[in-house]
Amino acid sequence: YYEVHNIVVPHIGPVPIAKGDFHKLPQKVQKFIAKWVDICAPRALYICDGSKAESDEIIHKLVERGVLTELKKYENCFLCRTDPADVARVEAKTWISTEEKYDTVPHVREGVKGILGQWISPPEMEKEMNDRYPGCMKGRTMFVIPFSMGPIGGPISKIGIQLTDSNYVLLCMNIMTRVSPKVWETLGDGDFVKCIHSVGCPRPVTRKVVNHWPCNPERIMIAHRPTEREIMSYGSGYGGNSLLGKKCFALRIASVIARDEGWLAEHIIASVIARDEGWLAEHMLIMGLKNDKTGEEKFICAAFPSACGKTNLAMLQPSVPGYTVRVVGDDIAWLKFDKEGTLRAINPEAGFFGVAPGTNFKTNPNAMKTFQKNSIFTNVAETADGGFYWEGMEDEVDKNMMITTWLNKKWQIGAPGKAAHPNSRFTAPASQCPNIHPDWEKPEGVPISAIIFGGRRPTGVPLVFETFSWQHGVSVGACVKSEATAAAEFKGKMIMHDPMAMRPFMGYNFGNYLKHWLDLEAKPHKVPKIFHVNWFRVDEEGEFLWPGFGDNIRVLDWVLRRCAGEEGIAEKTPVGYIPKKESFNLTNLGDLKWDELFSIPKYYWLDDIRESKRFLEDQVGTDVPQVIWDELDEQEKRLREL
Ligand code: GTP
Ligand code: MN
Ligand code: MN
């Protein structure tokens, strides 16, 4: 009895097991848990099964404690207000540790601060960890979450195990990943990604807990050991820092695994051909577009920096007839070439963790319908009748409605200040999305016809252009920039580089990452066409030149026609092909300043390319593949001839 209901660890002795059968877990898992129980000293161990009953039990407790508020207007929906000091990802406190520094970061110019990842040496990391983790879960329960990124047992899927002392994290992981006892069976003696998370607030607490949200913002550290496939996140409960399956695993660690698997295969066949058999883990949405006339369906991936429209595009409700649009994923794609050389993508996640502000029945009806039940809302406002509210819902809520802001203040529409935090989020099961694709859980993924890069570019950058080649496309991706948004700690309207929309999520040296992308173009791989879009260009008054949202289907229509090889619809410019006006679906669009939307100002672009080159020289230095320099030189030459 004693043994079954306790786990005995060397330093702290027996720790009660509140749920689950520890002794039936795979040996490697038992060792992993025991090690961290001994370090973190939790009051109890709770082995999760991802069931509805489990979520219900936790929710019930959290409502009682005041951590969650039920949103009575919907079914099984809850609001969580965090400590206002813990509301976004913290890039400045995100680290990657490898023996060799340049495995992680590129050769940054002397005196320049690198922005493509932060490296920490293993001994330094060890020291930081020893300063944080011993005893960090005292008085709290340690939850053990077995999860799969991608369908359980799928050929591209990967397994992780997260230890956490946050029940909010457990609830969100149950939505965002596949948590199930089946994971133990699939795993067997296999390896898994080790995820350790603590809010860094042991009991008795020494720090004032705000909003029943324990955290330790001063001591936040999100650390990765790619070689060990290990993630350690301390001090924050906010999703981007604490749902470790997402950015930490599915992007940073997975991109390293993806590269390594290529090298492994390359090694085996090295004497025959040097072909990169690796895959890609990218900050991309995946969507399917079925042509209603021909019945033919094409899938595309799109990489935009955070808060630049992935979720909105993935769930797009077309403003004009012609296509049935369905979502496969809204944030992360794992891409791999199959034996026939077709690029296939899976969505490793099981839910949407989307930006709430701006979402309404006009801009994104599919998102609105997705989170009417079984969803968690973080840092949004609450209406007096038990509904959610955020900026952008003005026309969907009674003007006189009493609202409680995310900061717990009474507020009404039209009053100064914001009701919801700009980075407030909804967490909802993907399966509830009305236009979820029937193949969204297909283990081998869907075939990809186009890759689209984009960002928030108020000036200079046309609505859409098609790049000239895979290599040119990769160089365009390497130069992605965007106006800063609320998803990270940056403030103000600054145009920032966000290469491949991966700046905050790079798992290894960005120069090597570019080389990996370039190396994928080899027989029999059929590489998709690469495009660039910009929904955010404005006129002199600062008004958007393009209506965006549902009207983005018109851009995708042109993209797909180009993929199908349709001629006579494109015009060559120095930066790529742009649509010919007469070929573009403009039905019912009203006034459109086409020329302004598509102009390519020569001096703007010459400046832009000079600036991009400086960025790459400063940030990536000798690690930039020569092909990228050649592409930029050629683009500059084309621009000079304009
Ligand atoms: P992450 O989930 O943080 O990676 O961001 P995301 O890329 O999914 O961004 P999301 O779709 O949530 O969009 C963020 C913001 O961009 C919201 O405020 C949207 O209203 C706005 N937005 C999205 N699409 C468009 C568009 O086509 N036009 C305009 N003007 N705004 C858009
Ligand atoms: Mn994202
Ligand atoms: Mn999103």
Side-chain angles (χ1 to χ4, degrees):
Y1 180 87
Y2 179 84
E3 266 198 1
V4 173
H5 294 273
N6 286 287
I7 155 177
V8 184
V9 289
H11 296 99
I12 51 173
V15 174
I17 298 171
K19 178 176 160 178
D21 195 344
F22 175 80
H23 302 277
K24 285 209 177 124
L25 300 180
Q27 282 300 318
K28 274 186 194 166
V29 178
Q30 290 194 25
K31 260 180 79 181
F32 166 63
I33 297 172
K35 172 183 161 180
W36 286 96
V37 166
D38 207 26
I39 295 173
C40 304
R43 135 183 98 81
L45 190 68
Y46 184 113
I47 300 163
C48 304
D49 61 20
S51 64
K52 169 101 172 51
E54 180 174 280
S55 289
D56 287 348
E57 180 203 323
I58 302 285
I59 286 170
H60 183 76
K61 258 192 223 155
L62 294 186
V63 170
E64 254 177 11
R65 281 189 221 155
V67 181
L68 293 182
T69 309
E70 186 176 1
L71 293 172
K72 297 218 164 70
K73 215 170 149 182
Y74 323 100
E75 188 190 326
N76 198 32
C77 285
F78 299 88
L79 163 64
C80 177
R81 294 184 175 94
T82 71
D83 182 327
D86 189 23
V87 294
R89 279 184 291 103
V90 197
E91 278 174 42
K93 297 179 179 181
T94 303
W95 304 86
I96 295 177
S97 185
T98 46
E99 283 294 333
E100 173 54 44
K101 176 176 177 183
Y102 297 107
D103 281 347
T104 292
V105 289
H107 286 78
V108 175
R109 185 195 297 279
E110 189 92 15
V112 169
K113 177 159 175 30
I115 65 161
L116 294 165
Q118 300 194 100
W119 176 78
I120 183 167
S121 73
E124 270 180 287
M125 167 135 165
E126 198 64 36
K127 186 183 160 293
E128 296 292 341
M129 295 300 121
N130 290 340
D131 275 357
R132 286 174 174 76
Y133 285 88
C136 70
M137 293 188 188
K138 270 188 189 152
R140 298 190 187 278
T141 299
M142 177 193 274
F143 299 97
V144 178
I145 309 173
F147 66 97
S148 175
M149 299 309 287
I152 299 174
I156 310 179
S157 304
K158 301 265 177 238
I159 286 172
I161 295 168
Q162 177 160 347
L163 311 179
T164 179
D165 54 7
S166 158
N167 17 38
Y168 166 85
V169 166
L170 161 57
L171 286 181
C172 293
M173 286 294 283
N174 276 353
I175 296 174
M176 293 304 298
T177 71
R178 293 159 178 94
V179 179
S180 163
K182 278 190 217 130
V183 167
W184 303 126
E185 289 162 36
T186 307
L187 181 62
D189 278 336
D191 289 315
F192 52 92
V193 174
K194 304 184 184 86
C195 309
I196 302 104
H197 168 252
S198 172
V199 294
C201 227
R203 291 196 175 104
V205 293
T206 49
R207 167 174 205 287
K208 192 169 169 267
V209 174
V210 183
N211 278 343
H212 312 281
W213 180 267
C215 61
N216 195 345
E218 298 79 26
R219 310 223 66 210
I220 289 177
M221 182 162 189
I222 295 119
H224 307 69
R225 287 205 251 241
T227 320
E228 290 78 13
R229 314 284 196 237
E230 193 167 42
I231 302 158
M232 273 157 283
S233 168
Y234 184 94
S236 167
Y238 170 77
N241 303 321
S242 67
L243 308 179
L244 301 187
K246 199 173 178 58
K247 307 300 189 183
C248 297
F249 176 168
L251 290 176
R252 297 193 193 97
I253 297 290
S255 66
V256 174
I257 299 175
R259 173 205 63 180
D260 288 355
E261 291 188 353
W263 284 5
L264 213 67
E266 196 178 25
H267 226 80
I268 296 163
I269 55 169
S271 54
V272 191
I273 29 164
R275 187 172 69 215
D276 192 332
E277 290 293 344
W279 47 284
L280 298 165
E282 300 294 332
H283 193 203
M284 288 178 176
L285 67 88
I286 312 166
M287 66 196 290
L289 299 110
K290 193 166 91 183
N291 186 313
D292 292 335
K293 266 206 208 97
T294 64
E296 195 187 20
E297 184 165 40
K298 297 280 178 201
F299 293 88
I300 62 171
C301 282
F304 312 152
S306 289
C308 289
K310 286 183 300 302
T311 299
N312 277 274
L313 187 64
M315 296 184 186
L316 176 143
Q317 179 129 320
S319 64
V320 288
Y323 289 95
T324 303
V325 178
R326 292 175 296 187
V327 50
V328 176
D330 81 321
D331 195 54
I332 298 177
W334 286 356
L335 300 123
K336 198 172 192 170
F337 287 95
D338 66 16
K339 285 204 184 69
E340 283 71 48
T342 302
L343 185 61
R344 292 185 164 271
I346 67 160
N347 169 13
E349 301 188 279
F352 303 127
F353 181 65
V355 181
T359 312
N360 60 46
F361 277 102
K362 274 219 189 80
T363 55
N364 195 347
N366 286 319
M368 296 295 284
K369 289 175 198 157
T370 303
F371 51 63
Q372 298 291 316
K373 56 181 183 188
N374 310 321
S375 300
I376 295 173
F377 298 83
T378 307
N379 290 335
V380 306
E382 183 190 1
T383 60
D385 63 343
F388 45 69
Y389 181 84
W390 48 73
E391 279 55 42
M393 285 183 67
E394 292 79 1
D395 296 338
E396 294 173 13
V397 168
D398 184 343
K399 291 270 175 290
N400 300 315
M401 179 68 75
M402 248 322 171
I403 289 172
T404 310
T405 70
W406 75 283
L407 289 169
N408 245 314
K409 298 259 166 19
K410 293 288 170 225
W411 188 89
Q412 271 183 307
I413 294 174
K418 282 193 183 340
H421 187 275
N423 192 34
S424 54
R425 300 258 168 174
F426 55 82
T427 311
S431 58
Q432 290 180 188
C433 187
N435 72 336
I436 192 77
H437 198 284
D439 288 345
W440 82 282
E441 296 193 279
K442 206 174 170 177
E444 67 274 27
V446 294
I448 299 302
S449 299
I451 289 175
I452 305 178
F453 291 110
R456 262 172 210 267
R457 302 294 294 272
T459 51
V461 179
L463 178 64
V464 57
F465 63 87
E466 175 192 333
T467 63
F468 295 120
S469 64
W470 179 257
Q471 298 189 348
H472 180 229
V474 174
S475 80
V476 166
C479 297
V480 164
K481 293 180 214 182
S482 193
E483 202 168 65
T485 63
E489 72 265 40
F490 306 105
K491 299 264 157 22
K493 300 246 159 186
M494 198 167 52
I495 303 280
M496 291 178 65
H497 280 273
D498 194 339
M500 314 299 266
M502 282 287 280
R503 185 203 64 237
F505 313 120
M506 276 311 305
Y508 62 99
N509 181 320
F510 182 66
N512 296 343
Y513 164 96
L514 287 177
K515 181 174 182 303
H516 179 44
W517 264 78
L518 293 167
D519 286 348
L520 288 174
E521 190 193 25
K523 281 198 174 123
H525 294 175
K526 290 167 262 181
V527 293
K529 272 189 193 291
I530 299 179
F531 297 80
H532 187 281
V533 298
N534 175 28
W535 316 139
F536 300 94
R537 196 169 186 174
V538 295
D539 61 16
E540 308 87 84
E541 271 86 59
E543 297 291 326
F544 287 123
L545 284 163
W546 177 249
F549 302 104
D551 284 312
N552 292 334
I553 187 67
R554 301 166 193 270
V555 174
L556 299 183
D557 168 56
W558 184 79
V559 163
L560 290 185
R561 285 157 66 199
R562 286 299 292 168
C563 290
E566 193 173 329
E567 307 232 1
I569 61 168
E571 190 180 318
K572 196 171 175 184
T573 79
V575 302
Y577 295 103
I578 61 169
K580 279 194 178 150
K581 188 173 177 183
E582 59 280 12
S583 73
F584 199 84
N585 185 346
L586 294 170
T587 322
N588 295 331
L589 205 50
D591 274 356
L592 188 73
K593 298 176 186 161
W594 178 274
D595 294 336
E596 215 177 320
L597 188 57
F598 280 98
S599 76
I600 295 170
K602 176 174 176 176
Y603 292 99
Y604 176 90
W605 273 89
L606 280 171
D607 273 355
D608 186 77
I609 219 156
R610 214 169 298 133
E611 200 277 327
S612 291
K613 280 183 174 175
R614 195 172 50 220
F615 168 79
L616 290 173
E617 270 161 19
D618 283 356
Q619 290 289 334
V620 196
T622 50
D623 295 312
V624 178
Q626 184 56 40
V627 171
I628 301 291
W629 293 131
D630 296 346
E631 286 295 337
L632 292 174
D633 285 344
E634 273 168 48
Q635 179 133 321
E636 193 171 348
K637 210 158 67 196
R638 288 191 298 266
L639 281 159
R640 287 197 190 288
E641 284 160 8
L642 194 67

